[in-house]
Amino acid sequence: MGVLAGLHCSVIKKYAGRKIAIYGLGTETEKILAEYAQFFEIAGLLDGYRTQGMLYGMPVISLEQAVRENVELILVAARPGSCKAIAKRIGKICQRNQIALTDVRGRDLCGEHRAVSDFGKHHGITRSSLLKKMEQYDVISFDLFDTLVMRRTLFVTDIFALMDHKLRQNGLAISDFQQKRISCEKELAGCAPDLIRIYEYMAEQYGTGELSPFRAARCEQELDFELVVPRTDVCALLETMRQKGKEIYIVTDSYYTKENLEKLLDKCGIFGVKEILDSCECMVDKRHGLFRKLKEVAGNRPVLHIGDDPEADICEAQKWGIDACQIYSGADLLEMCGYMGLWEVTDTLSDRLRTGMFVSVLFNSPFQFEGDKKICVYRAYDIGYLFFAPMISDFTFWLRQEVNAYDLKDILFCARDGYLIKKMYDEIADRTNTIYFLISRTAAIRAGTECAQDIRYVEEMRYSGSLQKELWERFGITVKAGKQKDGAGLLAYENEILEKAARCKKGYEAYIKKLNITEGTVAFFDFVAKGTSQMFVERLFHNDLKGFYFYQPEREQMQGKGLDICSFYQNCGQSGNAVFDNYYILETMLTAPVPTIKELDPQGNPVYAEETRTHEHIQCLLAAQNGIFDYFKDYLKYCPQSERKINKKLDEIMLSLIHRIRIQDRDFLDLKVEDPFFNRMTDVTDVI
């Protein structure tokens, strides 16, 4: 009876005799009707692509009709992964109309997802336990999708949305493409079709003759395989078993041919598989006898099958006398930890792709049940990819959008915070001239100070150190011990400061002349700043500067200074705000792998400060930046331009997870958050 036993224990008891609808038109629904119809008053069957007709002796109805008929429960008869997609699609409607939404296991699909950062109450197999179990068998088979490999998207149906965009991009718009594609696959499910047959059937049913089935199948396969990545820990176990002489099979329900899947295995670095038992080539799926094929090739030898689906992989394998072991998919693990707070802010295709990318890294491994079951991240690269990249990517999109809206031809990316942002911006820049501008707050002040009022402004930004050290760090002026002037702080050295500023300004005039900046307003990027650098830099240019910042703290202090600034984030000045709490970490992760610029010499060449970071710390930062940059390129590759949406709420949740997930990269934990302008240094562990 499989999972339907759970239906008898939970759902029947509560909803017996009450009006329900069943969501799904597959074999699970047929089984429910055969065994349990007498317990309910069934208004009809629901599905995402069909709203009328008859099936299994029951009417197919729309969701609107179910609401009108006062249905009290919608019972979802689908695989776990599909249940998640269905809940995302109709969950809010059910909540508004006080309709319960559960799966056949009795799980509330509309229930509150309490975000946690460990798997304390859940149980799953550990790496060592699975390895020990595999040692006992000569023949081992693996499910493919969500077991050996996974997609970088939240739902498999997102592939059809991407396919729809691809077709439209090529001038072929098919109305309701996604629904038709899903419909055809479901209606052919009994004969285990390949992808070409699905598209042939679509042409027969919907008159899409202009869409070549062969070309459509190839296009969908390319889109899908582009999103697939190996689950490296599982693949490593497969390789270990292969080297020990075990016979390895793959048993998969798939509409891809064996030749297609061999190419996918090669892409993912999976080798040494004895044979692929593929439903569309064997013409039977797991629920209808595919495991019989595995028994035939294994002979009398005991077999272990490893997969993620409790029904199709575990129950069906056991029916054929095959031992089975469940490992969890990335989506299963995400659900177990309450979607980590992401569920309610994941609505668009863009959001689902980004959440899928997140899951493909954080839950690439199913082995999350070791020790105290705390979710961990082990590499600086992954720290960058998971926590920082989503927000930095959205800022980069916003920056291009703003620069283009003002039709600005040149953009200055301030060193050092602009190092990575410029690289990312260059990936999407169209007509803008991007310049990595050799400046820092210190260099801007040294070159742009013009009067005593400027010196007072600088002094108001309190330096954590002696006046002697402040003069050296902020203005490059050396005062020997015991030779300090009497007077009111920095102003006692007004003449020296202004003379030094005049020399530094000449260096910048020579440097700026080489940049060949066009006439008109110039865009000026700074990451987190109140505007000090821009205020002093404007004195070095004939052009007006328009500032574009990630975040401008102390905004009110710059009122009346004539600065033109707009920022991605505003009004974040309070504890508990993800940006306010984490911008020091973000600044640290974005900084260039060279020291800060103190000034330019008279020829316009940079004079750098002494490097205070170790080689290991710089390599750690570069690894995190590679993670951010790769995320950005992945997103550009996967998400159609028309679907790219900025989602600050999603970004903020992902960023804030750095405080809840255990970081295991020792070099990252040893980093310092440095601010030489104020002479401050903080351990990164103090801010996470």
Side-chain angles (χ1 to χ4, degrees):
M1 198 179 301
V3 297
L4 296 181
L7 177 65
H8 179 73
C9 296
S10 59
V11 178
I12 289 180
K13 187 177 293 185
K14 186 171 182 179
Y15 290 95
R18 295 156 76 175
K19 185 177 286 189
I20 75 166
I22 301 174
Y23 197 110
L25 305 181
T27 55
E28 290 90 348
T29 296
E30 187 176 18
K31 291 177 183 178
I32 289 172
L33 290 171
E35 298 185 36
Y36 299 106
Q38 69 270 25
F39 294 104
F40 306 106
E41 180 185 348
I42 300 177
L45 309 181
L46 297 167
D47 200 75
Y49 70 92
R50 187 169 162 186
T51 59
Q52 57 186 355
M54 297 290 294
L55 188 67
Y56 309 133
M58 297 295 300
V60 179
I61 63 175
S62 67
L63 182 58
E64 292 76 14
Q65 185 176 343
V67 172
R68 288 196 301 271
E69 294 196 21
N70 298 315
V71 162
E72 296 183 56
L73 165 72
I74 294 176
L75 180 65
V76 180
R79 296 182 181 185
S82 298
C83 288
K84 299 177 182 75
I86 292 164
K88 174 59 73 175
R89 189 162 57 245
I90 70 170
K92 290 181 180 177
I93 297 173
C94 290
Q95 287 177 316
R96 281 199 302 269
N97 292 280
Q98 298 182 319
I99 299 173
L101 184 69
T102 72
D103 66 7
V104 294
R105 298 163 183 79
R107 293 186 303 177
D108 180 5
L109 299 179
C110 281
E112 182 181 351
H113 303 291
R114 191 175 70 85
V116 296
S117 52
D118 62 63
F119 295 98
K121 69 175 184 178
H122 296 284
H123 301 283
I125 196 161
T126 63
R127 190 195 322 260
S128 59
S129 297
L130 181 56
L131 184 61
K132 185 176 180 181
K133 190 174 183 68
M134 294 167 78
E135 297 274 12
Q136 303 171 29
Y137 296 84
D138 294 327
V139 179
I140 302 172
S141 72
F142 291 85
D143 172 48
L144 183 55
F145 292 98
D146 293 323
T147 298
L148 277 173
V149 302
M150 65 191 300
R151 294 176 173 95
R152 284 187 156 179
T153 186
L154 189 57
F155 303 133
V156 66
T157 51
D158 294 330
I159 305 300
F160 309 143
L162 293 172
M163 182 66 179
D164 190 14
H165 279 279
K166 188 73 171 179
L167 293 175
R168 292 177 187 275
Q169 187 180 12
N170 293 328
L172 188 57
I174 297 174
S175 62
D176 300 322
F177 171 82
Q178 295 180 62
Q179 289 76 11
K180 290 172 180 175
R181 168 64 181 80
I182 295 169
S183 166
C184 292
E185 182 181 342
K186 287 185 176 181
E187 292 177 17
L188 291 173
C191 59
D194 65 18
L195 197 50
I196 294 176
R197 177 59 191 136
I198 291 172
Y199 278 105
E200 287 175 342
Y201 187 73
M202 183 184 289
E204 295 165 8
Q205 294 296 110
Y206 298 107
T208 57
E210 71 274 25
L211 178 62
S212 162
F214 175 79
R215 290 180 180 175
R218 185 174 64 183
C219 180
E220 183 178 319
Q221 176 203 321
E222 290 172 352
L223 284 170
D224 192 3
F225 285 12
E226 187 70 49
L227 284 160
V228 171
V229 294
R231 300 190 80 186
T232 53
D233 281 356
V234 186
C235 293
L237 288 182
L238 181 153
E239 178 60 19
T240 298
M241 292 299 105
R242 186 188 70 80
Q243 291 182 7
K244 291 190 174 188
K246 310 290 185 181
E247 207 165 273
I248 306 296
Y249 292 86
I250 287 178
V251 180
T252 179
D253 284 343
S254 175
Y255 38 69
Y256 294 123
T257 65
K258 188 181 297 186
E259 182 182 358
N260 296 150
L261 295 179
E262 286 170 348
K263 291 178 181 177
L264 180 61
L265 294 181
D266 186 62
K267 171 185 180 279
C268 293
I270 301 170
F271 306 107
V273 173
K274 175 79 172 178
E275 189 175 349
I276 299 172
L277 300 176
D278 177 9
S279 62
C280 73
E281 297 245 346
C282 296
M283 301 182 68
V284 63
D285 63 22
K286 291 174 183 173
R287 286 174 166 81
H288 296 90
L290 185 57
F291 283 107
R292 178 173 59 83
K293 302 283 186 181
L294 179 60
K295 288 284 287 186
E296 290 172 359
V297 297
N300 293 323
R301 294 172 295 174
V303 182
L304 174 67
H305 177 70
I306 299 165
D308 70 290
D309 190 307
E311 185 72 16
D313 285 309
I314 309 306
C315 294
E316 292 298 329
Q318 291 169 344
K319 285 180 183 178
W320 291 94
I322 295 170
D323 199 0
C325 181
Q326 182 183 6
I327 61 173
Y328 292 111
S329 69
D332 290 335
L333 295 169
L334 181 66
E335 184 179 19
M336 283 180 189
C337 56
Y339 291 88
M340 310 209 79
L342 301 172
W343 182 261
E344 296 300 329
V345 295
T346 301
D347 295 312
T348 66
L349 176 60
S350 169
D351 298 338
R352 296 194 299 275
L353 285 168
R354 296 205 292 168
T355 302
M357 290 162 61
F358 178 88
V359 172
S360 73
V361 172
L362 187 62
F363 297 132
N364 184 274
S365 174
F367 305 121
Q368 302 285 336
F369 303 93
E370 331 287 317
D372 62 3
K373 305 181 187 178
K374 181 78 174 177
I375 301 170
C376 298
V377 174
Y378 297 90
R379 303 187 305 161
Y381 177 94
D382 294 341
I383 294 169
Y385 197 101
L386 291 166
F387 307 127
F388 305 131
M391 183 173 284
I392 299 304
S393 296
D394 271 352
F395 168 70
T396 306
F397 287 123
W398 172 86
L399 180 59
R400 186 187 70 165
Q401 174 184 303
E402 292 295 308
V403 169
N404 286 348
Y406 287 99
D407 195 26
L408 304 180
K409 301 299 187 292
D410 301 282
I411 179 169
L412 304 175
F413 287 91
C414 290
R416 297 181 290 168
D417 293 348
Y419 174 75
L420 177 62
I421 299 291
K422 181 185 182 300
K423 284 174 59 178
M424 295 170 67
Y425 192 94
D426 285 343
E427 293 289 312
I428 57 174
D430 32 31
R431 59 185 184 275
T432 312
N433 177 35
T434 62
I435 300 164
Y436 184 65
F437 188 56
L438 299 176
I439 199 69
S440 66
R441 180 164 42 189
T442 297
I445 287 170
R446 287 190 185 185
T449 296
E450 295 177 340
C451 61
Q453 184 178 349
D454 292 338
I455 298 171
R456 280 193 291 269
Y457 173 84
V458 173
E459 193 165 34
E460 285 172 0
M461 296 183 282
R462 301 301 181 192
Y463 184 80
S464 297
S466 67
L467 175 62
Q468 182 182 3
K469 190 170 183 181
E470 181 179 11
L471 282 164
W472 170 245
E473 291 295 337
R474 290 184 168 180
F475 294 101
I477 295 173
T478 303
V479 178
K480 293 182 180 179
K483 300 292 185 180
Q484 294 95 334
K485 293 182 181 181
D486 295 329
L490 291 178
L491 282 173
Y493 297 86
E494 179 180 351
N495 291 335
E496 291 91 334
I497 290 172
L498 295 180
E499 287 172 8
K500 179 65 183 283
R503 295 194 298 273
C504 290
K505 186 173 184 178
K506 287 181 179 178
Y508 268 100
E509 287 172 344
Y511 168 63
I512 291 169
K513 190 173 182 180
K514 299 174 188 176
L515 299 180
N516 295 317
I517 292 174
T518 57
E519 293 296 321
T521 302
V522 174
F524 181 88
F525 159 80
D526 211 341
F527 189 64
V528 175
K530 67 180 183 180
T532 298
S533 294
Q534 181 176 336
M535 182 173 70
F536 283 95
V537 167
E538 279 190 329
R539 301 170 184 181
L540 310 176
F541 276 87
H542 297 298
N543 309 69
D544 292 330
L545 299 183
K546 183 170 182 61
F548 297 97
Y549 298 179
F550 174 80
Y551 170 46
Q552 185 187 13
E554 304 175 52
R555 186 184 185 95
E556 65 286 348
Q557 293 185 17
M558 305 307 288
Q559 298 297 323
K561 296 191 182 295
L563 298 177
D564 185 3
I565 298 171
C566 56
S567 56
F568 186 55
Y569 274 101
Q570 300 177 18
N571 304 320
C572 297
Q574 55 184 344
S575 180
N577 179 283
V579 175
F580 181 80
D581 288 344
N582 295 291
Y583 72 80
Y584 276 127
I585 307 174
L586 284 169
E587 281 188 300
T588 301
M589 303 313 292
L590 293 179
T591 192
V594 294
T596 189
I597 295 164
K598 288 293 190 179
E599 60 187 63
L600 300 186
D601 68 16
Q603 289 73 45
N605 301 310
V607 178
Y608 292 100
E610 182 180 348
E611 181 60 82
T612 58
R613 300 167 297 180
T614 66
H615 173 76
E616 290 75 19
H617 289 165
I618 292 172
Q619 292 306 306
C620 176
L621 290 173
L622 289 175
Q625 289 182 12
N626 287 338
I628 296 169
F629 192 49
D630 285 352
Y631 174 100
F632 188 64
K633 291 189 294 184
D634 286 344
Y635 181 73
L636 291 176
K637 179 168 57 178
Y638 301 147
C639 190
Q641 186 170 348
S642 61
E643 286 296 315
R644 294 172 195 162
K645 304 290 191 301
I646 292 173
N647 187 339
K648 289 184 178 180
K649 290 183 179 178
L650 185 65
D651 298 339
E652 290 161 19
I653 291 172
M654 289 180 172
L655 176 61
S656 64
L657 287 173
I658 195 170
H659 302 286
R660 294 167 44 202
I661 290 173
R662 181 177 293 161
I663 305 297
Q664 299 281 50
D665 186 292
R666 176 47 52 191
D667 287 331
F668 179 86
L669 295 174
D670 285 341
L671 288 175
K672 306 288 185 185
V673 178
E674 299 182 359
D675 192 340
F677 185 80
F678 288 96
N679 193 30
R680 295 172 187 158
M681 190 171 291
T682 307
D683 293 338
V684 76
T685 51
D686 290 341
V687 293
I688 65 168

